[in-house]
Amino acid sequence: MILDLHAHTDASDDSRASLEGYLKWLQKKRDVVPVDGIVLTEHRQWNPDVDYRSLEDRYEIVILRGAEVETDYGHILLYGVTDAMARRFDFADVHLDAQQVVSEVEAMGGIAAPCHPGRPTIGLCEHYEVKGALEGVRAVEALNGGSRRGENERVEDLMQRHGYKGFGGSDAHLVSLIGICATEFDAEIHDVDDLVRELRDGSYRAVDFREQVRAARA
Amino acid sequence: MSIESPGSGVAKRSFELGDELPSLRLTLAQGEIADFVHAANQAAPRFISDEGARADGLPGQIAPGNMSLAIFSRLLDGIAGAEVRRLSATFRAFVQPRIPLVASGVVTDVENGDGGTLLHCDILLETETGDRLVTGTATLFLPNDT
């Protein structure tokens, strides 16, 4: 099963894509971007009230939710977000303590995974060089669809050195970029509990559809 | 500016999600950026020369954001008879001279109305190697009678 674990809708201030735009695109482009589901990881926010079940049924695409928060070690994706987590951490705070986020999110039943680690300033690699490693990180975003040349390559070394698992996400902010990088899980994932369980202990790998998207557009 | 494009405009009248706009391939010359900013009355040193840009802490001469918007406008002109109703962009990285660029667009939604069709498009300005420099969206109106 293939999920795009990192996508932003226009609920994020820098995205220009609607959720339904993503779903229409994936429905039409399934031969090029064979993604079964997406995880919405809006910047610095958690809205407990949204319900996407009717859209899931209409488009037959799994829609899960997480968040992307900003810390002293760069940006971190949170999966398995709960209201208790959102009360514990001010998601709008751009200076969250990364070690607290990683440790406490894990203790509260979720998983915190640094995204685009190879990116200057907001990626984990640069912070590790200066401040040392965080404890308790299980997985990082090995493949980010918005990364520039060299950024994803830096992550391979990070993963080998620290034994991290790697997953993929498009980091889409535009409709046509959804699903270009994603994660293939060996297990079926139907809800956030499945997702957290698999990210912690399951078998998965980053998958890259950028070349086949380019080939289809050529 | 040397632009490789398929011509003055594609006369296609029927579009669907996933249709590509005719892409543009171009490389900006240093003098072209300087000429543009002089004409636009925004001749800051970072737009004029590498030396002026480095004095501002930049890696070298850069193109102003509205020059990228102008490239997008040229891209959208690739559909004959279409009116640009909306254009927005996010500037992700510097656009610099001497680097081969590709401007591309794709239709992400189509709304058919009484007087014509609205085409919602994603638009990208990338290096040839796929680094995204400017991303955006645009809405085009294609009147029925053109």
Side-chain angles (χ1 to χ4, degrees):
Chain A
M1 182 168 196
I2 298 176
L3 299 182
D4 180 346
L5 296 191
H6 187 175
H8 300 274
T9 71
D10 46 18
S12 290
D13 52 9
D14 59 347
S15 173
R16 299 165 196 280
S18 68
L19 173 57
E20 195 149 11
Y22 282 144
L23 301 176
K24 285 181 185 175
W25 184 267
L26 288 173
Q27 196 176 51
K28 179 84 184 287
K29 296 287 184 177
R30 205 154 249 177
D31 55 333
V32 182
V33 185
V35 167
D36 302 297
I38 59 177
V39 185
L40 304 177
T41 52
E42 309 297 1
H43 289 293
R44 303 177 300 279
Q45 60 184 283
W46 172 251
N47 181 352
D49 299 323
V50 293
D51 183 345
Y52 297 126
R53 278 174 293 189
S54 63
L55 285 172
E56 283 186 305
D57 292 342
R58 192 185 320 158
Y59 290 94
E60 298 181 326
I61 293 170
V62 174
I63 307 168
L64 304 177
R65 294 194 303 134
E68 181 176 351
V69 297
E70 299 180 21
T71 76
D72 57 346
Y73 273 73
H75 293 191
I76 295 183
L77 296 170
L78 307 183
Y79 303 107
V81 176
T82 62
D83 292 347
M85 257 177 232
R87 283 194 299 273
R88 167 63 184 88
F89 294 104
D90 176 5
F91 283 19
D93 181 356
V94 297
H95 301 292
L96 290 172
D97 183 304
Q99 188 59 68
Q100 287 181 0
V101 169
V102 169
S103 301
E104 295 187 35
V105 165
E106 174 95 9
M108 297 170 96
I111 183 169
C115 53
H116 40 67
R119 194 163 298 172
T121 312
I122 59 172
L124 198 66
C125 294
E126 214 169 86
H127 292 281
Y128 270 22
E129 288 169 9
V130 178
K131 295 180 278 194
L134 294 168
E135 290 180 14
V137 173
R138 293 174 184 255
V140 296
E141 188 180 48
L143 200 57
N144 176 288
S147 287
R148 303 187 70 188
R149 263 175 308 162
E151 291 180 6
N152 287 329
E153 289 73 7
R154 291 180 76 186
V155 187
E156 291 173 20
D157 179 56
L158 176 82
M159 290 167 57
Q160 282 187 353
R161 193 175 302 168
H162 296 279
Y164 297 155
K165 292 182 170 186
F167 61 89
S170 67
D171 201 0
H173 290 67
L174 292 179
V175 164
S176 58
L177 299 177
I178 191 73
I180 58 172
C181 295
T183 307
E184 183 177 32
F185 292 90
D186 289 348
E188 290 292 304
I189 290 173
H190 302 290
D191 56 31
V192 162
D193 291 339
D194 292 344
L195 176 63
V196 171
R197 184 194 64 237
E198 291 305 312
L199 281 174
R200 284 182 172 189
D201 301 313
S203 178
Y204 55 89
R205 63 212 61 85
V207 287
D208 191 346
F209 298 117
R210 288 174 295 182
E211 274 309 313
Q212 61 194 65
V213 167
R214 268 190 214 111
R217 293 183 69 168
Chain B
M1 184 187 323
S2 168
I3 296 181
E4 289 178 39
S5 71
S8 58
V10 170
K12 185 173 176 175
R13 308 312 303 162
S14 176
F15 289 85
E16 60 182 46
L17 184 151
D19 282 349
E20 299 285 333
L21 276 57
S23 62
L24 304 177
R25 292 182 173 272
L26 66 154
T27 303
L28 299 175
Q30 286 192 286
E32 290 167 341
I33 297 173
D35 288 347
F36 182 95
V37 297
H38 282 300
N41 196 27
Q42 55 177 142
R46 61 185 176 278
F47 303 135
I48 303 295
S49 67
D50 287 335
E51 294 72 26
R54 289 188 191 115
D56 279 351
L58 298 167
Q61 184 189 13
I62 62 171
N66 55 354
M67 194 166 187
S68 296
L69 292 177
I71 294 168
F72 278 148
S73 297
R74 175 69 185 269
L75 171 76
L76 298 170
D77 197 38
I79 297 179
E83 302 166 8
V84 178
R85 288 286 173 90
R86 189 186 57 81
L87 170 61
S88 68
T90 300
F91 302 96
R92 294 168 48 92
F94 297 129
V95 175
Q96 295 191 269
R98 301 181 295 267
I99 294 173
L101 304 171
V102 181
S104 64
V106 61
V107 175
T108 58
D109 204 3
V110 178
E111 290 179 60
N112 292 307
D114 286 341
T117 303
L118 285 175
L119 303 178
H120 300 280
C121 303
D122 284 353
I123 47 179
L124 301 173
L125 183 60
E126 301 171 289
T127 64
E128 270 191 339
T129 53
D131 283 345
R132 262 174 247 141
L133 307 179
V134 188
T135 63
T137 56
T139 302
L140 302 176
F141 179 68
L142 202 56
N144 284 336
D145 58 354
T146 57

